[in-house]
Amino acid sequence: MIKGKIVRVSGPLVVAEGMLGCKMYDVVNVSEKRLMGEIIELKEDLASIQVYEDTEGIGPGEPVYGTGAPLSVELGPGLIESIFDGTQRPLNIIREMSGDYITRGISIPGLDRKKKWRFKPTRKKGDKVISGDILGTVRETTLVTIKIMVPPDISGTIVEIKEGDFTVDERIVVIKDGNEKKEIELLQVWPVRIPRPFKKKLSPMETLVTGQRVLDTFFPVGKGGTACVPGPFGSGKTIIQHQLAKWADAEIIVYIGCGERGNEMTDVLLEFPELKDPKSGEPLMKRTVLIANTSNMPVAAREASVYTGITIAEYFRDMGISVALMADSTSRWAEAMREISGRLEEMPGEEGYPAYLGARIASFYERAGRVICLGSDEREGMLSVIGAVSPPGGDLSDPVVQSTLRVVKVFWSLEDKLAAMRHFPAISWLNSYSLYSDSLENYFRENVETDFVENVRTAMTLLQNEAELQEIVRLVGVDALSENDQLILEVSRAIREDFLHQNAFHDVDTYTSLKKQYLLLKIILYFYERTNEALGEGTPISAIKTMRVKNRIARAKYIPEQEIAKIEEIIKDIDEELTSISRKEIKTEA
Ligand code: ADP
Ligand code: MG
């Protein structure tokens, strides 16, 4: 074993000499306290180590022990429902052992060594298997049954396969590969900085339904896609991430909380276990893995947490399911990179961030995707990644925002102005975009309605017209507008208030199915179409503005999913009221 000696300590960074033979990204134990660290720079026998624990009281001369292994996570049953820190230490267990403050040097495996899991084999002795093949299943929670797979780089013939209750580190399968025998456990280990392998990457073709109208209808993200939510403090980033964790159409959620503030992170720790999975009524944690960094945790652990999180997410993806990862906020991760880079005295780039900031962000989001998994049975896994970004003052020219926008395909732009008006989600309909819109057109046509996409285009055009008209109104007042333009203002207000605005805290409004999203937009556009005709036939705009049916349109979003046929009835109401208005007009003329 390699044993070096500390020469310098600078916050989370320790420099040690005598480290010849170590490799980049090897894990080391620092001092007799055995603080966990990772080598991030090597110059001959000098190693710079980022330490995942508080280095107070550690000084030159103390030993550093190499472990010869890279920073890795344990993958297997027991991940779900866990709350881990950035290096996969189970926080719930540590808290039981040592209270709120983590004792330094504590080393607890990511997965429980005592708990037994029932393994049900789906293969038998004599079967030939390759990397990624499914050997059997474990029902991990009431919501999730996981697949136990042949780890990457192993293939051969099964010479032994057991059935029954096992701990994660007991042998369940033996595979003979040539003359070599390989033992397989429920657990496999994977280095966090290396993406897990797959056969082939494909482009997303299905939408990740989130039940959030502005997202699904206007700026959809594909299953296996990437999105970012930048916005100033208080604009709704965390609420959006929580809504996605609750509602996104994914079997597994990996939520990385990179604490904005200490108390906000505590909120995640306290609130998340309280959340219910809306579909089953079970606790949401039964399909969630939570990775948490409170602000009192060392900065380097934050840097590791995004890799720990995405590696766990890839493992579930490899089972051939839909996984969604949220990171709130990636800005705190970038700041950790900046701090470490500063201590390494690297040449700073923009705003003091390291020159490799963009490359790191890109390689993180590139681990998202829709893939054909390893293994002889054809299965597709999807990992969608949604990152919040919190630039200082909400400034979009911030290097973290800009680097993120270069790689992600969806931009949900949160705006102060909308949040101040209590228009939530405060997502700008004019500045946001989704590069999946075109490739998902067929999905919407085939799975919702044939005119879904056309309706969205019409609505978007109306909103753009509204923005132009509002300029004119600001200058010369609303009376200067033609009746047609006044109608556009009327209808776009309905699109904004009755469709885009969605209350995360309202029982019904919190989630809207795609079918209901379609209907809600359709009645607004139908109203536009019919009132536009009526204007042409001489009905005055004043009569249209006071139509009673407008109130029914506004309340349609509160109609529960089981009763959405009632939304279609509003079409009839629009027709009837317009007929009665025009009769009245004729009467008064006569
Ligand atoms: P951020 O994470 O950007 O700082 P939060 O997500 O904590 O902001 O949101 C701030 C506040 O805005 C919330 O506490 C809530 O009152 C309000 N809010 C945000 N989104 C919604 C929403 N969809 N529905 C209702 N209220 C919302
Ligand atoms: Mg927040």
Side-chain angles (χ1 to χ4, degrees), residues 212 231-240 243 260 264 328 414 419 422 424-426 501-505:
Q212 311 305 301
F233 181 75
S235 59
K237 298 179 293 294
T238 301
I239 301 273
I240 287 194
Q243 285 295 86
E260 300 264 44
E264 193 163 320
D328 182 18
L414 288 172
R422 312 283 310 155
F424 289 117
H501 179 254
Q502 186 168 4
N503 184 351
F505 305 111

Side-chain angles (χ1 to χ4, degrees), residues 325-587:
L325 178 142
M326 284 105 219
D328 182 18
S329 140
T330 58
S331 293
R332 301 295 158 270
W333 165 45
E335 282 164 19
M337 261 188 259
R338 175 165 67 185
E339 163 146 9
I340 304 284
S341 165
R343 306 242 184 208
L344 281 171
E345 292 170 11
E346 290 172 337
M347 178 91 84
E350 251 180 294
E351 304 280 337
Y353 286 105
Y356 48 78
L357 173 77
R360 288 277 171 89
I361 289 177
S363 61
F364 168 66
Y365 283 102
E366 275 157 15
R367 292 175 73 167
R370 167 178 161 235
V371 304
I372 300 183
C373 307
L374 292 185
S376 39
D377 57 336
E378 188 84 356
R379 59 181 196 270
E380 272 183 21
M382 284 159 287
L383 169 52
S384 316
V385 174
I386 298 114
V389 194
S390 35
D395 178 7
L396 294 179
S397 69
D398 165 76
V400 185
V401 175
Q402 287 301 316
S403 303
T404 306
L405 287 180
R406 273 196 283 277
V407 283
V408 300
K409 299 270 198 296
V410 179
F411 171 43
W412 295 324
S413 178
L414 288 172
E415 288 191 357
D416 248 351
K417 216 171 57 197
L418 292 172
M421 285 158 52
R422 312 283 310 155
H423 175 100
F424 289 117
I427 293 178
S428 161
W429 49 91
L430 296 177
N431 296 338
S432 303
Y433 60 75
S434 164
L435 300 182
Y436 297 113
S437 292
D438 291 346
S439 56
L440 292 176
E441 277 188 8
N442 278 337
Y443 174 89
F444 286 113
R445 285 207 181 95
E446 284 161 20
N447 293 280
V448 196
E449 286 290 341
T450 44
D451 57 349
F452 186 96
V453 177
E454 284 66 36
N455 288 356
V456 175
R457 285 210 190 99
T458 310
M460 192 47 102
T461 308
L462 284 165
L463 290 170
Q464 283 158 349
N465 289 344
E466 179 194 41
E468 289 157 21
L469 292 172
Q470 272 169 344
E471 275 303 296
I472 301 175
V473 171
R474 224 169 39 82
L475 295 172
V476 291
V478 75
D479 294 334
L481 294 184
S482 70
E483 294 210 321
N484 284 40
D485 285 347
Q486 290 186 44
L487 181 61
I488 290 178
L489 287 187
E490 195 62 29
V491 173
S492 31
R493 189 203 45 74
I495 299 174
R496 282 189 287 109
E497 293 177 8
D498 308 339
F499 184 81
L500 294 179
H501 179 254
Q502 186 168 4
N503 184 351
F505 305 111
H506 184 283
D507 277 350
V508 174
D509 202 25
T510 185
Y511 177 88
T512 309
S513 66
L514 287 184
K515 176 77 186 172
K516 185 174 162 191
Q517 297 189 29
Y518 167 79
L519 288 174
L520 290 176
L521 195 57
K522 179 175 150 178
I523 53 169
I524 296 174
L525 295 178
Y526 186 78
F527 175 84
Y528 177 53
E529 193 187 308
R530 296 286 288 114
T531 50
N532 203 20
E533 280 167 22
L535 268 189
E537 288 157 11
T539 306
I541 185 77
S542 55
I544 291 170
K545 280 185 181 169
T546 52
M547 280 172 74
R548 274 170 298 132
V549 76
K550 278 172 52 187
N551 194 31
R552 296 209 52 194
I553 294 174
R555 304 213 40 87
K557 60 183 168 188
Y558 303 117
I559 295 174
E561 292 288 338
Q562 315 81 274
E563 298 168 24
I564 52 176
K566 286 190 182 156
I567 301 176
E568 282 192 284
E569 288 169 16
I570 296 177
I571 292 213
K572 211 170 62 216
D573 298 341
I574 296 172
D575 287 340
E576 278 173 12
E577 194 173 358
L578 274 175
T579 316
S580 89
I581 291 178
S582 60
R583 274 208 209 99
K584 241 185 260 160
E585 292 298 322
I586 294 165
K587 251 190 227 154

